[in-house]
């Protein structure tokens, strides 16, 4: 399974209409995007993965990320084995520990020992009747301990909500061999007001999650940057402007050590598939 170039990270591909998602995935495959990444915040994840695998022939279908609190390792391994047998080695299992406020909201005190829980989940994948191969899984990793685990127990790291400065840190942490595949948010907008109208509220929700907040503080942003969603922070995390701005940000990640960059394109209606923006990005990448 090769994973390079540019991919698409998309919530609508997972949670939108399944027929439209399949149609859009087929188009993205033909446009040359090398991977399609989908999130997991509940619901039948493997049904969505199977839908996208069936609609494509070349693109890797990746979970970004499979929430370890919502699945059993044996079930994940069995699904991976079945889907790989049916569609070839194009299913990349991205695993993540999620966030305490989200998990504890369902069951108080459930979220604890994230590193140990991740190791135990990986142990379960290894012990399954059909283990998920190390090169078919990546970890959502931001801090040094999880980055180290990603390099030791998986193909590499899938950092989310990061700037190229973090990509350089991730590359240094995992070394030259493992995969570094950051997510990059983008908004094709004519000015800051338009970009802010689309992205500020979306970004605020993520900044309330301790994992993301702590990572940004480690990168040198201040508590005030996070609380106010400062222009400095907004510009660091979201590539907004025309296609050239997005391409420049992709190249910055590559220069910092990324093997693959998956772009999440936001538009005013976050639930709709930004198919025209995807086409514009594909044309710019040619």
């Amino acid at each position: 399974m090769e994973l390079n170039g540019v991919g698409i990270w998309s919530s609508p591909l997972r949670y939108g209409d399944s027929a439209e998602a399949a149609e859009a995935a087929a188009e993205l495959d033909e446009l040359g995007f090398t991977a399609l990444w989908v999130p997991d915040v509940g619901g039948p994840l493997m049904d969505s993965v199977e839908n996208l695998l069936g609609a494509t022939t070349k693109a890797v279908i990746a979970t970004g990320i499979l929430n370890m609190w919502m699945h059993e390792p044996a079930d994940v391994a069995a699904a991976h084995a079945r889907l790989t047998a049916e569609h070839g080695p194009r299913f990349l299992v991205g695993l993540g520990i999620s966030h305490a406020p989200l998990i504890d909201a369902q069951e108080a005190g459930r979220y604890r020992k994230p590193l140990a829980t991740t190791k135990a989940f990986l142990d379960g994948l290894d012990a399954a009747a059909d283990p998920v191969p190390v090169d078919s899984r990546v970890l959502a990793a931001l801090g040094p301990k999880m980055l180290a685990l990603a390099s030791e127990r998986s193909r590499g790291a899938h950092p989310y909500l990061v700037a190229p400065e973090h990509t350089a840190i991730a590359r240094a942490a995992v070394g030259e061999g493992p995969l570094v595949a950051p997510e990059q948010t983008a908004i094709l907008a004519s000015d800051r007001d338009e970009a802010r109208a689309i992205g500020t509220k979306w970004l605020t929700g993520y900044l309330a999650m301790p994992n993301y907040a702590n990572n940004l503080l480690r990168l040198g942003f201040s508590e005030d940057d996070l609380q106010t969603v400062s222009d400095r922070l907004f510009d660091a995390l979201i590539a907004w402007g025309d296609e050239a701005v997005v391409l420049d940000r992709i190249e910055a990640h590559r220069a910092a050590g990324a093997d693959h960059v998956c772009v999440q394109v936001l538009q005013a209606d976050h639930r709709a598939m930004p198919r025209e923006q995807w086409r514009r990005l594909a044309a710019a990448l040619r």
Side-chain angles (χ1 to χ4, degrees):
M1 183 195 309
E2 291 295 325
L3 193 60
N4 49 32
V6 176
I8 292 293
W9 196 105
S10 172
S11 182
L13 283 178
R14 166 78 203 281
Y15 291 107
D17 177 77
S18 60
E20 184 184 1
E23 180 183 281
E27 181 180 14
L28 290 167
D29 197 25
E30 288 302 311
L31 287 171
F33 292 104
T34 56
L36 307 180
W37 297 75
V38 293
D40 180 28
V41 290
L45 174 62
M46 296 304 170
D47 288 356
S48 297
V49 171
E50 186 168 16
N51 184 47
L52 298 177
L53 283 168
T56 55
T57 60
K58 302 180 290 293
V60 170
I61 306 303
T63 53
I65 50 78
L66 180 151
N67 189 322
M68 284 183 270
W69 301 100
M70 297 180 179
H71 303 271
E72 293 297 327
D75 295 338
V76 173
H80 180 270
R82 178 179 65 83
L83 293 173
T84 297
E86 293 175 3
H87 300 282
R90 294 193 294 120
F91 180 18
L92 181 65
V93 181
L95 303 164
I97 199 62
S98 189
H99 307 276
L102 300 179
I103 304 306
D104 286 350
Q106 302 168 6
E107 181 183 331
R110 188 182 182 201
Y111 188 99
R112 58 191 182 90
K113 298 182 177 179
L115 195 67
T117 300
T118 302
K119 290 178 179 178
F121 199 98
L122 293 170
D123 290 343
L125 294 180
D126 290 339
D130 292 297
V132 177
V134 170
D135 64 359
S136 293
R137 63 200 195 199
V138 294
L139 293 186
L142 295 173
K145 292 180 180 179
M146 200 64 79
L147 284 167
L149 186 63
S151 69
E152 295 163 3
R153 300 287 306 274
S154 79
R155 186 170 178 174
H158 170 50
Y160 183 92
L161 202 73
V162 294
E165 291 78 6
H166 183 272
T167 295
I169 292 169
R171 172 54 68 200
V174 303
E176 288 305 313
L179 181 77
V180 175
E183 175 270 348
Q184 175 60 59
T185 306
I187 299 174
L188 296 177
S190 58
D191 56 43
R192 182 177 293 278
D193 288 343
E194 181 184 359
R196 279 286 198 170
I198 294 170
T200 299
K201 184 177 179 180
W202 174 89
L203 188 54
T204 299
Y206 283 111
L207 296 178
M209 300 294 109
N211 295 1
Y212 293 130
N214 291 337
N215 186 56
L216 293 167
L217 292 172
R218 283 193 299 266
L219 288 177
F221 292 98
S222 67
E223 292 282 1
D224 185 64
D225 285 322
L226 273 62
Q227 291 170 7
T228 64
V229 190
S230 68
D231 284 349
R232 173 175 173 251
L233 180 63
F234 190 92
D235 294 351
L237 296 178
I238 299 179
W240 63 268
D242 60 15
E243 294 90 330
V245 172
V246 181
L247 264 58
D248 284 347
R249 187 67 62 87
I250 291 169
E251 289 304 317
H253 280 288
R254 286 174 170 160
D259 302 289
H260 170 83
V261 181
C262 50
V263 178
Q264 179 176 190
V265 179
L266 296 184
Q267 59 181 358
D269 182 356
H270 294 173
R271 297 169 298 179
M273 296 181 200
R275 296 181 68 172
E276 181 56 36
Q277 289 96 324
W278 288 339
R279 293 175 189 132
R280 288 169 57 187
L281 182 58
L285 286 164
R286 292 191 186 106

